[in-house]
């Protein structure tokens, strides 16, 4: 059994389902401990909550999604190149969205890291990134309406 949350996870999930950002963040933050305890289902649930938090939160929420997606790609069999490229494309798409909002010295470092990642990505990952960048832009437009 994994270490339980300090709050009732069912109550947290109920709050997260209606858009409670703090509940989404708390459940998303559990992804790392779930992975450490070999609970892959819990890890992927945390990723889902992290996506919800990133949709309404700030750059730190998007940063968590980027980290979790990169970990998810590392968990895949190296032979699963299509799935790895898909997850890598999502990482780059979220990173591009974050790079557009990053400011100051931290923003400059993030831009440099993002540019390095773009330089090393293969063609499949770049194609996936382009697809996911378009989807993220569409979702931002829909959210503004």
């Amino acid at each position: 059994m994994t270490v339980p949350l300090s709050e009732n996870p069912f109550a947290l999930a109920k709050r997260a389902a209606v858009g409670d950002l703090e509940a989404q963040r708390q459940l998303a933050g559990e992804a790392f401990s779930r992975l450490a305890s070999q609970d892959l289902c819990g890890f992927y649930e945390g990723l889902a909550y992290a996506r919800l938090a990133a949709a309404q939160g700030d750059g730190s929420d998007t940063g968590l999604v980027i980290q979790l997606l990169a970990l998810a790609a590392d968990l895949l069999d190296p032979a699963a190149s299509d799935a790895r490229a898909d997850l890598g494309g999502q990482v780059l798409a979220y990173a591009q969205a974050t790079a557009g909002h990053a400011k100051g010295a931290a923003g400059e470092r993030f831009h440099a890291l993002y540019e390095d990642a773009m330089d090393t990505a293969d063609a499949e990952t770049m194609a996936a990134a382009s697809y996911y960048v378009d989807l993220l832009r569409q979702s931002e437009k829909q959210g503004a309406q």
Side-chain angles (χ1 to χ4, degrees):
M1 183 172 135
T2 58
V3 176
L5 290 164
S6 60
E7 287 188 55
N8 179 334
F10 299 105
L12 281 173
K14 188 172 185 174
R15 288 179 27 219
V18 295
D20 183 321
L21 180 58
E22 290 310 313
Q24 292 168 353
R25 285 176 171 160
Q26 191 169 349
L27 290 166
E30 284 294 304
F32 292 112
S33 64
R34 299 301 172 176
L35 182 59
S37 64
Q38 306 280 322
D39 177 4
L40 290 179
C41 183
F43 169 77
Y44 288 110
E45 286 176 358
L47 173 57
Y49 286 113
R51 287 179 189 271
L52 292 173
Q56 65 174 334
D58 57 26
S60 66
D61 297 303
T62 305
L64 180 59
V65 171
I66 291 169
Q67 291 176 48
L68 294 176
L69 285 169
L71 276 172
D74 286 343
L75 292 172
L76 293 174
D77 182 329
S81 61
D82 288 347
R84 291 173 70 90
D86 187 76
L87 289 171
Q90 291 180 56
V91 167
L92 290 175
Y94 276 108
Q96 181 178 344
T98 303
H101 303 294
K103 306 227 184 300
E108 290 175 19
R109 285 191 302 275
F110 189 86
H111 281 283
L113 290 170
Y114 172 70
E115 292 298 325
D116 288 345
M118 294 291 286
D119 289 342
T120 60
D122 61 26
E124 289 178 341
T125 301
M126 293 300 293
S130 177
Y131 173 74
Y132 287 113
V133 164
D134 288 343
L135 290 179
L136 282 172
R137 284 186 184 142
Q138 288 174 24
S139 72
E140 288 173 10
K141 287 179 185 175
Q142 291 171 349
Q145 295 177 354

